[in-house]
Amino acid sequence: AHEDGRAPPTALEAALAGLWGHALGVARVERDHRYFDDPVHAPRGADLLAQVQAVFGIALAPGALAGEAGTVEGMARAVARLRGTPAA
């Protein structure tokens, strides 16, 4: 779920939001917030990337959270692109 109560726009984003929430230890995440830019959350980034690889079979580079994959929305685009599927 998202901070504003709206459902994620895609099933992929919903799945990723769950992984992000688990990695961050929170119930809700915003799709466009850069959680891992915060030094408090940064150490949990490696756990998130490992979860994404386990669930989706996609290995994102360790620096991915500093770039496009630094938000749930951006990570959904990156995962979809690497899977060769639409983000929707």
Side-chain angles (χ1 to χ4, degrees):
H2 290 283
E3 200 69 24
D4 63 5
R6 291 180 299 134
T10 68
L12 178 56
E13 278 192 31
L16 287 168
L19 294 178
W20 279 61
H22 179 75
L24 294 167
V26 298
R28 296 181 185 190
V29 296
E30 295 177 39
R31 67 190 294 252
D32 59 353
H33 186 81
R34 300 189 63 86
Y35 293 93
F36 294 100
D37 286 353
D38 183 334
V40 171
H41 297 304
R44 298 178 181 158
D47 292 337
L48 173 62
L49 295 177
Q51 290 177 31
V52 169
Q53 184 169 6
V55 172
F56 296 103
I58 299 294
L60 295 170
L65 293 174
E68 177 187 17
T71 64
V72 172
E73 180 181 29
M75 185 175 279
R77 284 191 306 268
V79 168
R81 185 175 56 252
L82 291 168
R83 291 169 79 191
T85 61

